[in-house]
Amino acid sequence: MAGAGFWDNREQAQKLIDEANSLRKKVDPLLEAEKGLVDFREMIELAESEPEAEQLKYEKELDRDLAQFSKRLETLELKVFLNGPHDKNNCILSINAGAGGTESCDWANMLLRMYQRWIESRGWTFEINDALAGETAGIKSVTLLVTGENAYGFCKAERGVHRLVRISPFDSNKRRHTSFASVDAIAEIEEAEEIAIPPDEFSVDTFRSGGKGGQNVNKVETAVRITHIPTGLVVASQSQRSQHQNRATAMKLLLSRIFAQRVDAQKQEMERFYGEKGSVSWGNQIRSYVFQPYRMVKDLRTGVETSDVQGVMDGDLDPFVNGWLRAGCPLKRMTGLRDEDEG
């Protein structure tokens, strides 16, 4: 970067600067952790030379500082696990209600609220690109763009089927119901990054946006739907105020979905080769949320569980996500782990 002519090619120069910043983010915390460890050793040596009464004061100070140091190390450790090529990218998070009508649509809406609070707690932001309301309550499907550092790396832990067991508020007989919703997480791919689509392979339709009106919204066809003809993939965006912006957003969604589909195809081929299947499908839930007759949220891939159901629904997902990363990102249910209430 200090060399002569570095700025002759601005695009290449910016790539190098971004790479350097990315490397600094990895190296600087390690250097700080090493320095912190040296400081602890020096403090211990200093405390040992003091009278016993003074040593107790040092011990309290050390315990407090060590607890903070351990939290920083835990954060650093998790970042080490995020070593995938797109883990640092933003994430396109989709929620789809399963079979079950109103029950499943309500469950999908509950998951949306849970993820919104989790995203906010991490200091990320989100934008709803497309949503389809349920006929009676809740949502049939919703797609969010999650923006933040390592958003995809963390959100990918949620990919799979989520199962709810509760006494239904829609059942006058107060019976227990089981509902399913699927969550998909794919990395946002920039248009020029990994993949290009020939113009004759997709079609573009426009329609009026739903939701609250204002300016062009609901008055002209600003919403955009793009269909990828070879694969049948369909994406839509109606959150922006102009058709041009919605088209750009929808194209980015489409590129990301095509890329994810290709990666999945490669994974399936590898799993077939090695004789192991790790597909995400209905009936193969990754996590169960039981509200009655007892209260328990359990991740079936790692065994992480909690009885604080309300805390989880309010966005306290880090124990599940971090546990999944530490376990090596498993796709299958942990051997011998049984999901309560299963037949």
Side-chain angles (χ1 to χ4, degrees):
M1 290 169 62
F6 175 72
W7 287 105
D8 290 350
N9 185 331
R10 294 188 67 87
E11 185 177 338
Q12 186 63 29
Q14 189 59 53
K15 284 184 179 180
L16 284 169
I17 290 172
D18 291 343
E19 185 181 358
N21 290 336
S22 178
L23 290 171
R24 285 194 190 97
K25 286 181 180 179
K26 293 178 181 178
V27 174
D28 287 350
L30 283 171
L31 297 176
E32 289 177 14
E34 286 183 348
K35 183 179 180 300
L37 192 58
V38 170
D39 291 344
F40 276 119
R41 287 171 177 161
E42 290 176 351
M43 190 175 288
I44 290 171
E45 290 175 5
L46 181 63
E48 287 175 342
S49 64
E50 296 289 334
E52 188 173 340
E54 290 294 320
Q55 287 185 12
L56 291 174
K57 294 180 181 178
Y58 275 106
E59 184 178 356
K60 289 181 181 179
E61 187 178 347
L62 277 167
D63 284 344
R64 185 188 68 245
D65 292 346
L66 186 60
Q68 295 174 352
F69 184 68
S70 296
K71 285 185 178 180
R72 291 199 299 271
L73 277 184
E74 184 177 341
T75 301
L76 183 60
E77 180 189 26
L78 288 170
K79 287 185 177 180
V80 171
F81 292 130
L82 301 177
N83 55 10
H86 300 292
D87 282 350
K88 66 182 185 298
N89 290 25
N90 296 331
C91 179
I92 298 165
L93 191 71
S94 302
I95 305 169
N96 291 280
T102 302
E103 288 290 338
S104 293
C105 289
D106 189 50
W107 173 224
N109 199 44
M110 291 166 66
L111 287 175
L112 172 62
R113 176 186 178 277
M114 179 184 78
Y115 287 125
Q116 287 174 330
R117 278 152 180 72
W118 178 59
I119 290 164
E120 290 168 348
S121 73
R122 298 193 64 89
W124 297 340
T125 59
F126 67 86
E127 179 181 339
I128 295 178
N129 292 132
D130 190 37
L132 180 61
E135 293 178 3
T136 305
I139 53 172
K140 290 183 179 179
S141 64
V142 64
T143 301
L144 305 97
L145 174 61
V146 184
T147 303
E149 184 181 2
N150 296 318
Y152 173 65
F154 285 104
C155 287
K156 66 183 182 183
E158 296 303 293
R159 190 182 189 199
V161 176
H162 296 247
R163 172 178 177 257
L164 170 69
V165 179
R166 64 169 176 173
I167 293 175
S168 171
F170 305 102
D171 188 337
S172 58
N173 294 319
K174 302 298 180 185
R175 292 171 296 190
R176 278 203 309 161
H177 285 249
T178 298
S179 307
F180 292 94
S182 68
V183 176
D184 196 15
I186 60 176
E188 182 189 38
I189 304 298
E190 292 297 332
E191 195 161 345
E193 188 177 344
E194 301 278 354
I195 193 170
I197 309 174
D200 61 346
E201 286 193 359
F202 64 89
S203 62
V204 180
D205 300 307
T206 58
F207 58 98
R208 293 186 181 184
S209 298
K212 297 178 181 178
Q215 292 189 7
N216 288 336
V217 178
N218 286 337
K219 298 175 183 176
V220 296
E221 295 187 340
T222 57
V224 173
R225 183 185 298 109
I226 301 179
T227 303
H228 186 232
I229 298 168
T231 61
L233 287 171
V234 179
V235 297
S237 176
Q238 56 180 315
S239 60
Q240 307 299 329
R241 293 192 177 276
S242 76
Q243 188 182 114
H244 177 75
Q245 290 173 313
N246 277 321
R247 182 186 173 112
T249 300
M251 183 57 73
K252 197 175 283 189
L253 289 172
L254 181 61
L255 289 169
S256 300
R257 290 197 184 282
I258 291 173
F259 183 80
Q261 190 178 69
R262 292 182 182 180
V263 170
D264 282 349
Q266 291 172 354
K267 283 182 180 178
Q268 288 173 5
E269 181 62 21
M270 286 183 66
E271 287 161 359
R272 185 192 64 78
F273 182 76
Y274 288 109
E276 185 171 321
K277 185 175 176 64
S279 63
V280 175
S281 58
W282 300 113
N284 292 325
Q285 61 267 25
I286 64 163
R287 193 178 301 146
S288 281
Y289 306 70
V290 182
F291 289 15
Q292 280 99 11
Y294 54 91
R295 297 177 70 79
M296 179 70 68
V297 180
K298 177 187 285 189
D299 196 296
L300 304 173
R301 303 161 301 177
T302 62
V304 174
E305 62 180 53
T306 179
S307 58
D308 183 14
V309 172
Q310 190 57 53
V312 173
M313 299 312 298
D314 284 337
D316 187 14
L317 289 177
D318 283 349
F320 296 99
V321 174
N322 297 349
W324 183 78
L325 289 169
R326 286 198 174 91
C329 307
L331 298 177
K332 296 174 64 178
R333 181 180 296 193
M334 181 183 286
T335 303
L337 188 64
R338 182 177 176 273
D339 188 5
E340 286 82 355
D341 281 13
E342 271 189 332

